[in-house]
Amino acid sequence: MASVLPSLGTREAIQGYLRGLAMQLGVDITDSRLVEELDRRDQLAHLRSKFHVPLISELLDEEEQADDVDPSQESIYLCSNSLGLQPKEAKELVVQEMDKWAKKGVHSHFAGQRPFFRIEDFVLEEHARMVGARTIEVATMNSLTVNIHLSLVPFYRPTKERHKIIIDECPFPSDLYAIQSQVRWHGYDPSNSVIFASRRKGEDIWYTEDIVKQIEEEGDSIAVVYLSGVHFTTGYYFDIKTITEAAHKKGCYVGFDLAHAVGNVELHLHDWEVDFASWCTYKYMCSGPGGIGGFFIHEKHAHNSDLPRFLGWWSHNRDTRFVMDNVLDLQPGAAGFQLSNPPVLPCMTLLASLNAFGETSMAELCRKSRLLTGYLELLLEENLSKRKALKRKATQEGGGNYCEVITPSDPERRGCQLSLRFSCPLEKVSTFIQKRGVAFDLRRPNLMRVAPVPMYNTFADVLRFFQLLTQALECD
């Protein structure tokens, strides 16, 4: 049997494997022969062909390209934490439904392979599998922030004694605005009722024990714990299971924003007994810009028709929806929180992506991801860290610029993203890299987010990015 990438769970095991393989090949970890062997062992390599990887000439206009770049080469796309690549099947599926609409008109609602009337059915099973949920617990609907608001209707019912919502420090702005507006809507002051899970002084990441302690100490006044699954800036993966258990012990409801988690890390929302969650699908799930959102409510709440909620005709039982006698027949589970019919075309782009995910599992994707991101981490630590920069400067073998990884080094506490903080301004560095066909994300003044995803990134992508970054820091 040919060698394949192993399943490794610790930083030490990952770096040991990479160094050991390089030693077997008689090369350094920066040698292209190592990445050729790693890519040869990649059992998921075929999935890359299911996505459009932009050529440099497509990603950049001619005047944006460096003179030394080959525009016919594929770009290095490390920005799926902002927008995933387009599945090749997406256009085909969209055109199919457009053609049906053109030829069938209103009959499209009940005709063809995928009747519009039940379009959400065709993404439901795989969508639920992505988050470790049962189909009764998931709905494909709306957008992320809309779903945050809808999920807080039943679960944020503040009282004089229990009115606080705890959210992660430095959350994504839309989450904070949604939470603050919900608190105001109920007549409370966000300065008193919105509290933050804070990091230790001088730290970039959180510690689960600190969050649990805060919940234990303040839990009697907390109505809802609402955190990111993976923090968008740092890449920190919150311990959802442990936090949920701690919050439930104090009588709090628990929800998560999974925008940077779904399609990136393994999730088991049902088993972890999370009360509710929402996510977008256009990042790692590759459903396209503005793609339709996901909504989760645990099965234990599925048949509680007394839960407050906003309603629409898609909340009504499908079998009797067109009777239109104005007597609500509420659907159980997440479906009972739907308001109106899901847009067909965004469901098709999502279906294209889910079809690709359906050829593997999140466990297999994460197996590769740990090595892919671990390889990038090792390259940076061994060559571009502060320690190495000081040594270069002391021996006059190079400049003193460096970057440090602020994402957790523990593979269990991160997904594929690494967030890099630089010792120098990023304008020249980022321009140098961008002009050579790398897509990534900046958070000014000195933070770069890179996300080598296992679905379509390669070890060669990682090495090439590292080489360009090294050149950029030397030129700055």
Side-chain angles (χ1 to χ4, degrees):
M1 180 179 176
S3 296
V4 297
L5 298 177
S7 180
L8 302 171
T10 68
R11 178 174 178 269
E12 292 73 22
I14 291 165
Q15 293 192 354
Y17 171 77
L18 293 168
R19 287 194 177 100
L21 182 57
M23 187 176 296
Q24 289 176 31
L25 297 171
V27 300
D28 185 77
I29 61 169
T30 60
D31 196 294
S32 61
R33 285 169 289 183
L34 173 61
V35 299
E36 288 170 4
E37 178 60 22
L38 288 166
D39 284 329
R40 188 188 67 79
R41 296 184 179 197
D42 177 12
Q43 55 269 50
L44 302 180
H46 65 285
L47 295 174
R48 181 178 172 95
S49 66
K50 297 186 177 298
F51 293 83
H52 289 289
V53 180
L55 302 178
I56 294 176
S57 61
E58 296 169 330
L59 185 71
L60 301 172
D61 293 335
E62 187 174 352
E63 62 273 15
E64 296 174 313
Q65 301 167 20
D67 294 336
D68 60 351
V69 75
D70 179 357
S72 66
Q73 287 187 336
E74 289 181 330
S75 62
I76 302 170
Y77 197 85
L78 301 176
C79 208
S80 296
N81 50 355
S82 290
L83 180 66
L85 291 179
Q86 183 185 125
K88 290 181 178 178
E89 192 185 16
K91 183 181 291 186
E92 175 187 345
L93 293 177
V94 167
V95 169
Q96 287 176 10
E97 301 312 313
M98 292 288 286
D99 286 347
K100 184 170 68 178
W101 174 32
K103 296 172 183 177
K104 294 287 188 181
V106 70
H107 296 292
S108 303
H109 286 295
F110 301 98
Q113 181 182 358
R114 292 181 290 269
F116 294 172
F117 177 64
R118 56 186 188 91
I119 200 68
E120 63 267 35
D121 287 359
F122 303 100
V123 296
L124 178 58
E125 185 172 345
E126 189 63 29
H127 203 172
R129 186 176 76 96
M130 293 289 294
V131 295
R134 298 178 178 177
T135 53
I136 196 173
E137 297 173 318
V138 171
T140 305
M141 64 187 205
N142 307 317
S143 58
L144 171 55
T145 307
V146 172
N147 287 336
I148 292 174
H149 280 293
L150 293 178
S151 61
L152 287 171
V153 172
F155 293 111
Y156 183 57
R157 310 296 295 171
T159 65
K160 182 179 179 181
E161 294 76 23
R162 191 186 285 271
H163 55 88
K164 295 178 181 177
I165 299 180
I166 185 170
I167 189 170
D168 37 301
E169 181 184 9
C170 298
F172 191 76
S174 194
D175 290 22
L176 181 61
Y177 303 156
I179 296 295
Q180 289 173 333
S181 65
Q182 285 279 334
V183 167
R184 290 191 190 97
W185 175 257
H186 287 280
Y188 290 84
D189 183 349
S191 65
N192 296 321
S193 296
V194 178
I195 60 176
F196 296 93
S198 299
R199 294 166 283 194
R200 297 176 185 178
K201 186 176 181 180
E203 296 274 3
D204 293 298
I205 61 174
W206 291 260
Y207 291 85
T208 302
E209 58 265 32
D210 294 348
I211 299 173
V212 169
K213 182 181 179 183
Q214 187 175 5
I215 292 171
E216 290 173 346
E217 291 177 349
E218 302 187 55
D220 291 340
S221 64
I222 296 173
V224 173
V225 174
Y226 190 78
L227 300 172
S228 303
V230 172
H231 188 256
F232 78 107
T233 299
T234 64
Y236 177 81
Y237 179 19
F238 287 86
D239 187 341
I240 295 175
K241 181 177 185 291
T242 300
I243 292 169
T244 299
E245 289 174 349
H248 283 165
K249 287 179 182 177
K250 297 298 292 187
C252 313
Y253 287 119
V254 189
F256 287 90
D257 174 351
L258 301 176
H260 287 264
V262 65
N264 180 24
V265 296
E266 286 192 77
L267 297 167
H268 303 280
L269 298 187
H270 176 83
D271 292 344
W272 294 339
E273 296 195 349
V274 172
D275 292 298
F276 64 97
S278 301
W279 57 93
C280 54
T281 61
Y282 56 79
K283 300 181 189 294
Y284 298 108
M285 284 184 67
C286 304
S287 72
I292 193 166
F295 178 90
F296 168 90
I297 181 168
H298 197 276
E299 188 177 25
K300 62 190 174 186
H301 305 296
H303 299 282
N304 183 359
S305 58
D306 293 329
L307 275 179
R309 69 190 77 192
F310 294 146
L311 295 168
W313 75 318
W314 239 247
S315 314
H316 189 104
N317 187 320
R318 178 186 294 165
D319 295 336
T320 58
R321 189 175 292 156
F322 277 90
V323 173
M324 295 189 177
D325 58 3
N326 288 341
V327 178
L328 177 66
D329 181 8
L330 186 67
Q331 293 198 81
F337 287 81
Q338 295 177 112
L339 300 180
S340 57
N341 49 319
V344 171
L345 302 185
C347 282
M348 289 302 95
T349 58
L350 176 58
L351 177 60
S353 177
L354 291 174
N355 285 343
F357 277 99
E359 294 193 19
T360 182
S361 66
M362 283 309 304
E364 285 298 304
L365 286 165
C366 289
R367 172 207 292 243
K368 176 183 173 182
S369 182
R370 286 190 289 270
L371 278 165
L372 195 63
T373 296
Y375 179 51
L376 176 57
E377 180 185 42
L378 179 61
L379 288 170
L380 296 172
E381 284 182 355
E382 290 294 303
N383 297 278
L384 298 180
S385 65
K386 184 176 181 179
R387 172 176 56 86
K388 292 292 183 179
L390 291 174
K391 183 178 179 181
R392 287 195 303 271
K393 195 171 183 180
T395 58
Q396 297 183 338
E397 295 178 356
N401 291 333
Y402 63 89
C403 66
E404 60 177 334
V405 177
I406 67 168
T407 307
S409 59
D410 180 0
E412 296 300 316
R413 295 272 64 83
R414 71 184 184 203
C416 67
Q417 174 182 314
L418 289 184
S419 298
L420 315 179
R421 180 185 290 135
F422 287 77
S423 63
C424 56
L426 276 177
E427 278 70 23
K428 290 182 181 179
V429 173
S430 61
T431 299
F432 183 94
I433 299 170
Q434 287 171 337
K435 289 170 70 71
R436 286 158 180 80
V438 182
F440 56 92
D441 176 82
L442 291 180
R443 287 289 180 268
R444 287 181 170 82
N446 61 347
L447 197 68
M448 179 185 294
R449 303 186 306 165
V450 290
V453 299
M455 182 68 82
Y456 43 71
N457 280 123
T458 65
F459 289 90
D461 285 341
V462 167
L463 178 59
R464 183 59 182 146
F465 166 73
F466 162 75
Q467 292 169 336
L468 290 171
L469 182 59
T470 301
Q471 294 173 36
L473 287 173
E474 290 173 350
C475 293
D476 186 54

